[in-house]
Structures are given as structure tokens and as C-alpha cells.
Amino acid sequence: EKERLEIWKASKEVGKVLKSGVTNLRDLRNKCVQALGYADYFSYQASEYNMSTDELMTATRGMIKDIWPLYRELHTWARYELAKKYKKPVPDYLPAHWLPNRWGQQWSELVKVEGFNLDPYLEKQGAEWIVKKSEEFYKSLGFSELPKTFWEKSSLYPVPPNANYKKNTHASAWHIDNDKDVRSLMSVIPNTEWWGTALHELGHIYYYISYSNPDVPIILRSGANRAYHEAFGTMMGMASLQKPFLQGLGMMDKDAKINDTLMLLKEALEYAVHIPWGSGTMTEFEYNLYAKNISPDKYNKLWWELAKRFQGIEPSEPRGEEYCDAATKTHINDDPAQYYDYSMSNVLLFQFHQHIAQDILKQDPHATNYWGNKEIGNFLQTVMKPGASVDWREHLKKSIGQDFSAKPMLEYFKPLMAYLQKINKGRKYTLPEQPDFNY
Ligand code: X8Z
Ligand code: ZN
């Protein structure tokens, strides 16, 4: 635990260096869009969804409310589980360094499922296999092969130790010319996390390729909204870890006995846990940063107030204003005021996945195999092709007959909810029954 704390603290040192830059960027970003008539940068980013700041905050807060009962169970489960692991009394709030991610944005590594560990297999296959196999997955659905220039001009693997340059190790995908030049920046190492990330980035790449067609003017070559852009690749990543998919591809033994409830728990720790972080801590912070212009001497106080309120996470030592823990998240610096894209995409991807499982594959959403299904490919291409030339809400209604809703996600995790309530019976809950937005 001591070592974890040291590593956690080291990972936050960079915030000090970035703090004044973030304030400078905030001011520049606000001034730029104010010159165009927007109130501030936050409202400018929300306008891409055809929403005002208030509408957007209502939507992100709505997602937190929807997921809250499940999150509260997961939070309680994690506190007791981790206290056992670290042989400590059960804390009211999760010490940040106990979690398997330095922002507590997803906790799936807390669960080890017997018979399910892809790391040794992936390690044997190597990093290049991961990217190639990801492309093959998309091709199996009917997507085209990636352009030659993707392979020539992307930077996909870690920087060699003796290189005379650095790169951001956080993965991204780029549409260089709004046409055929698509590239990705990754640092793929052969493990399960990068398997998901490679599929995520190729989701962006195939979206770029799909809407780069003569029917879509250059200026509308982007996602129906930014959450759509994040959703497809993450959905492919989720589908790629389901048992029938893995068994079909020979990545898991045909007769492997896997505990389905633990798999579901693992998925909830990935996708549901992300919502109070993405819609809560990150979005509320950036709302205050851009729309409320909070003063730099309050950044860290606000950051930790939000982490406690929405994620139920606390630092184990006071974090004064000499730190800027928000700035340790790359998106605060270089992907500003749009992190809610990810939480919205998690909600959206369960809507798309439910449609694919039930209406196309006729399979249980918990146990699908997308591989090789051209109908899924056709469906995805139909959704992707028009880019931003459609209204995202109408487009959703047209493609799956639904409005934006967390229902499919909640339905997916329903069996888990019952399991958690049973395990947590008699335990102390420290998060309120409803999230509290008054701060
Ligand atoms: O930043 C990303 C992608 C790049 S678009 C790798 N994600 C968020 C994060 O890492 O914080 C994917 C999930 C959430
Ligand atoms: Zn992305």
C-alpha cells in the first residue's frame, strides 16, 4: 500500500507544472469563443450537441441519477473488498491510491475472474497482432481494409528507450485532411487494456472513413455528435471480451467455466463506474472552470470536493493548491470541456449493443459474437455514413427506434444489482441515496 501511495503521488506531480498553463488556456479558449458570440468555452462545446449549457448539465446530471443506485452498490462493495485486501478498517470513502486507476475512472481490475485472463495470450501474440486483429474484426463485419497510409503514418507502438523525442502515451485517432488521411497515435503493448483501446481508436478511424464520402460536405465530416464518435469503438471493445466471441476466435477454451456474475461485475466496474467520474467530477469541474471562471486558488479544493461527492473517493493526504490534480488528466489540457462525451457514449453504446444483440444477432446481450456478421457492419455503416449531416436525436430514433436513454445499460446490469444488494446486506452505505448536486 505504501508503494501504491508513492506511485499515486508521483503521478500527480505533473499537475503543479501544468497549473498555470491550464489557466492560460482557459482564458484563451473563453476569449476565442466569446469573440464568436458564445458565453464561454463550455457552452461552445455543448452547442455541438445542439444544447445549451443548462440542457447539457441536466443531461449529464440525469445520467448520474440513473446510474446512482448501481454505483452506490459498487462503491459499497469496493470499500469492503479493498479494506479486506489492505487489512484496514472499512473507510467511508475510497482512498484514491487503493484503486487500480489513478483517477478512479474505472475499477475493472479489482475483479479477477478465474479462467478469464487474456494477458498471457495477447503477450504471446504481440503488439502488432493487436492492431492487425482489430482491423480484421472490423473487416469481418464488412468494413474496408485500412488505407496504406494509416500504417505508414501512424505511430502505434511505444517510443524506443533511446529515442530523441517523446509522445503523449494517451491514445488518439486523427482525421488529418477530413478525407482519406487517417492516423492513430498509440503506444500499444500486448495486454487486455490495449486490446480494448486499439478497437476504440479504430472505431474513430472507421467513422472518419465512413463519413468521408461525396454526400457529406467537408464541414459536416464529424460524428452525429461527439458521443457517437466515442461509442462505436468502445462497443466493439466490450463485444470483443464476451465469451462466445473469445471462444469463436480461439482466445478462450471452448469449455472454460466462467463466472458470469463476476464478468458482469467487471463490466460494471468499467462502464458504469465511469459515469460519476465522466459526468460528475470531470464535467462539473470543467463547467466551473469555463462557465464560472473559478479562481486558480480553488481548483484543487473543488476537484476533491467533486471526487468525494460523485465518486466517493478521497485522497489519503490533504492536497493543497500547490497541486493541480485535475491537470494530471490529459483531457483537461488538450481535449477541453468535452469529457461528458465518454459517459454519454457509454450510455449510447448499450443502446446500440442491445439493438445489435436482440434485433440483429438474436443473442443474449451478455453473450454475443459479432465476428463476421455483415448485417452488423451494414447497420453500423448506415449509422456512421451521414456524419454530422443529421440531427443526432432523430438519427438515433431512426436507427434504433429509441430516444437517448440509460435504460438498456441498467437492464444489462440488472442481474448484477440483485447480486450486489445481497452481498452488501448489513453493510454501511456512505453515499447518499440520491446524488447531491448542491455544492
Ligand atoms: O481518452 C480516451 C480514448 C481516446 S479518445 C483512449 N478514453 C477516455 C479516457 O481514457 O479517459 C476512452 C475511455 C475514456
Ligand atoms: Zn476516443
Side-chain angles (χ1 to χ4, degrees), residues 170-173 197 200-201 204 226 229-231 234 331 335 342:
H170 195 91
S172 52
T197 302
H200 176 94
E201 298 310 328
H204 289 303
R226 295 188 310 261
H229 230 306
E230 300 301 338
T234 304
H331 302 69
D335 227 8
Y342 298 106

Side-chain angles (χ1 to χ4, degrees), residues 106-121:
Q106 59 83 10
W107 316 338
S108 73
E109 287 82 7
L110 290 185
V111 176
K112 303 267 178 266
V113 184
E114 219 184 297
F116 175 82
N117 179 7
L118 292 183
D119 284 344
Y121 178 87

Side-chain angles (χ1 to χ4, degrees), residues 77-101:
W77 171 84
R79 281 166 41 237
Y80 280 78
E81 204 60 29
L82 286 168
K84 233 187 298 167
K85 177 172 167 182
Y86 294 114
K87 301 187 176 57
K88 289 275 167 71
V90 180
D92 282 353
Y93 296 93
L94 286 159
H97 68 285
W98 281 16
L99 293 165
N101 172 283

Side-chain angles (χ1 to χ4, degrees), residues 54-68:
D54 281 354
E55 284 166 341
L56 193 111
M57 293 307 285
T58 304
T60 54
R61 289 176 175 188
M63 285 189 281
I64 301 176
K65 280 189 211 156
D66 289 340
I67 207 71
W68 195 255

